[in-house]
Amino acid sequence: MEIADRARTAPRTAYTAAEQASRDTAAGLAVQEKPEGREMPNLQEAELRSTASPEAAGSVHPPRRKPPETGRLSFLAKLVPSRVLSGSTASAVVDGRSRDPFLDNAKFLLVVLVAVGHSWGPVVEAVPAVKPFYLFVYAFHMPLFVTLCGYFSRNFQGRPDQIRRLVAGVLLPYLAFEAIYSAMYVVCFGEEFAWTPTSPRYLCWFLVGLFLWRLTAPLWSAVRFPLAFAVAISLVAGLTDVGGELALCKVLMFLPWFVLGLRLRSAQLRPLRNRASRRWALPVLVGALVGAYWAAPRVTTQWLLMQQSYEQIGVAPEVYLGMRVVLFAVGLVLCAAFLAAVPAVHTRFTAFGARTMYPFLLHGLLIKTFEGLGGYELVVEWGALAMVPVTLLAGAAAVGLSTAPVCRCLRPLIEPRLPGFLTPRPRTSTQRTGTGAGARSSAAGANVG
């Protein structure tokens, strides 16, 4: 009888399993349209989009790979082999989690603009033709870069594991590259070696800023009107003498962009990915470049470098405040236009968006070497045409420093692990049981007393 009962219930069990698999499939596909109420934990490098895997859905067919986009960036694909670009893992998946190609593409293009902008810096005043492009790029590329850093810090709550990752991923590279750039200044410019972590050199200020911004991330969810509060702090920083320690003036002036990223949600970025947004993006960017040509002989680049107060720039406080508000508005429009022009699908270079720390930290060594060897003196002598190869080389350097071989060689320096003696040992079950028993004994003794 028992065997017969099992035989009768077997078809129902199989049907229930199939029905459950069907429900799992539907639930997995519905994740893509789930409203963003709760965010996924440990979102540090890129926005993770939930997708249903074939294994979870009960499917035996592998997912189709989307072909790389042909168009804006496809011409670069012919120059570098794909195995050098992507490395041994697919760019779409990191640690089993899917990445958003839109944000990875944006990060890669921004770090290229960072390298190009730094290559223009030493001659921006000596070669007048460079200044309009310099003003145009600096009006949005660092604000947007900081905004994306805030966007990827939305889930930072100050937990011990998050603090350890912050120390290993930001603080340790800062200390290392502060020493490297100090040595570079000795070799290239004959300065005395001085390793001063409280006074960041060159582009190392950004690591200090990222460390401090991310530490404050939990604060901005605890106050009302956080963006307005951050804007007020940024404006006050330009009205006072903050000093040069820890690049605090620059860190505070860029603070609103980080807070803006913290408050952004993926649904708010979605309208920038459609065709309608791309239609107005190019006219806006071209119009901004025309405006930069008009502004070049009339304004100083210090307005965009965010490192001087109103007294150092030489304007009245009310003029300074009005100009900063205008720059905020212009930066917002240009950031939106740039994002609207970014490819929203996988390209051959989407993988570079996961490695932006490498070209960001390394390209400065090449630029300072070129400057120390007297290369920019030749550029000034030859004029604006000499800046064409300099710009192309800076962009190519950003691409080359993002490739998999470079990242594999320099990973211990740029992505170090926290030393073992700084990592607390996990408590054993015996210790936890003993502690719990001791606590219960103490409580019982207190109750008896």
Side-chain angles (χ1 to χ4, degrees):
M1 289 294 292
E2 183 178 355
I3 296 175
D5 291 339
R6 291 182 181 177
R8 284 195 301 268
T9 57
R12 178 58 186 171
T13 303
Y15 173 77
T16 303
E19 184 182 13
Q20 183 63 35
S22 176
R23 287 197 296 267
D24 292 344
T25 303
L29 295 176
V31 170
Q32 297 181 2
E33 301 179 1
K34 184 181 71 173
E36 191 171 0
R38 290 182 61 189
E39 296 175 10
M40 300 181 67
N42 298 329
L43 182 63
Q44 297 296 330
E45 270 301 313
E47 179 191 26
L48 303 179
R49 296 186 305 175
S50 300
T51 55
S53 64
E55 294 78 9
S59 172
V60 295
H61 299 288
R64 294 181 179 179
R65 292 188 60 187
K66 198 168 187 178
E69 181 191 29
T70 57
R72 300 186 186 105
L73 301 176
S74 61
F75 72 97
L76 292 175
K78 301 178 181 179
L79 304 179
V80 188
S82 60
R83 62 181 177 84
V84 175
L85 299 180
S86 58
S88 59
T89 59
S91 63
V93 178
V94 177
D95 297 333
R97 302 172 299 181
S98 62
R99 302 177 63 95
D100 189 341
F102 171 69
L103 295 176
D104 279 341
N105 292 334
K107 289 168 60 182
F108 165 66
L109 295 176
L110 285 173
V111 82
V112 171
L113 290 180
V114 169
V116 170
H118 283 159
S119 72
W120 295 340
V123 295
V124 65
E125 298 294 346
V127 182
V130 175
K131 190 173 181 179
F133 296 95
Y134 187 89
L135 293 176
F136 169 71
V137 170
Y138 271 77
F140 71 90
H141 84 305
M142 282 310 297
L144 184 54
F145 208 78
V146 176
T147 300
L148 292 181
C149 289
Y151 185 81
F152 299 140
S153 303
R154 292 175 300 162
N155 292 311
F156 186 87
Q157 300 172 353
R159 299 194 310 267
D161 61 314
Q162 293 177 326
I163 295 294
R164 287 193 291 270
R165 286 197 298 270
L166 181 61
V167 170
V170 178
L171 183 58
L172 293 185
Y174 165 67
L175 296 176
F177 274 88
E178 184 64 26
I180 291 172
Y181 275 99
S182 297
M184 174 65 68
Y185 275 68
V186 173
V187 174
C188 295
F189 306 109
E191 298 183 8
E192 294 184 1
F193 181 82
W195 184 61
T196 54
T198 58
S199 299
R201 286 184 181 269
Y202 198 32
L203 49 75
C204 292
W205 76 267
F206 182 77
L207 295 180
V208 176
L210 182 58
F211 186 80
L212 297 176
W213 292 328
R214 190 163 287 179
L215 283 179
T216 66
L219 168 68
W220 304 108
S221 61
V223 299
R224 197 178 182 189
F225 308 119
L227 185 57
F229 188 24
V231 169
I233 292 176
S234 177
L235 294 177
V236 171
L239 297 176
T240 58
D241 185 12
V242 178
E245 296 298 315
L246 295 177
L248 197 56
C249 183
K250 207 165 190 175
V251 170
L252 294 178
M253 288 188 181
F254 278 108
L255 177 63
W257 299 104
F258 183 81
V259 177
L260 174 63
L262 288 175
R263 308 302 297 176
L264 278 178
R265 295 298 177 261
S266 58
Q268 296 169 320
L269 295 175
R270 197 170 296 123
L272 298 176
R273 307 188 189 201
N274 55 41
R275 294 182 179 179
S277 299
R278 291 199 179 110
R279 292 193 189 101
W280 61 261
L282 184 58
V284 169
L285 294 174
V286 172
L289 185 58
V290 173
Y293 267 101
W294 175 86
R298 296 173 173 83
V299 301
T300 174
T301 58
Q302 293 300 325
W303 283 108
L304 299 174
L305 295 179
M306 302 292 174
Q307 58 188 9
Q308 291 188 354
S309 65
Y310 78 97
E311 292 180 341
Q312 293 170 317
I313 295 178
V315 296
E318 58 273 14
V319 174
Y320 175 84
L321 292 176
M323 187 66 173
R324 287 289 309 280
V325 171
V326 170
L327 290 177
F328 277 129
V330 171
L332 280 173
V333 173
L334 292 182
C335 287
F338 178 83
L339 287 176
V342 170
V345 298
H346 284 283
T347 68
R348 294 287 293 273
F349 299 90
T350 301
F352 290 166
R355 310 168 187 161
T356 51
M357 188 67 77
Y358 290 83
F360 183 87
L361 291 176
L362 296 173
H363 80 273
L365 300 176
L366 302 179
I367 291 175
K368 287 303 178 183
T369 299
F370 183 72
E371 183 179 1
L373 293 176
Y376 282 108
E377 297 176 3
L378 297 177
V379 170
V380 173
E381 181 180 348
W382 293 345
L385 289 178
M387 288 305 299
V388 175
V390 171
T391 302
L392 295 177
L393 287 174
V399 175
L401 295 174
S402 302
T403 55
V406 173
C407 296
R408 281 195 296 267
C409 293
L410 298 178
R411 182 170 288 115
L413 180 64
I414 297 179
E415 296 183 73
R417 294 184 177 182
L418 195 66
F421 66 89
L422 294 179
T423 305
R425 295 181 179 180
R427 298 173 61 188
T428 64
S429 58
T430 303
Q431 291 174 330
R432 287 195 294 268
T433 304
T435 304
R440 287 192 295 271
S441 300
S442 300
N447 292 334
V448 171

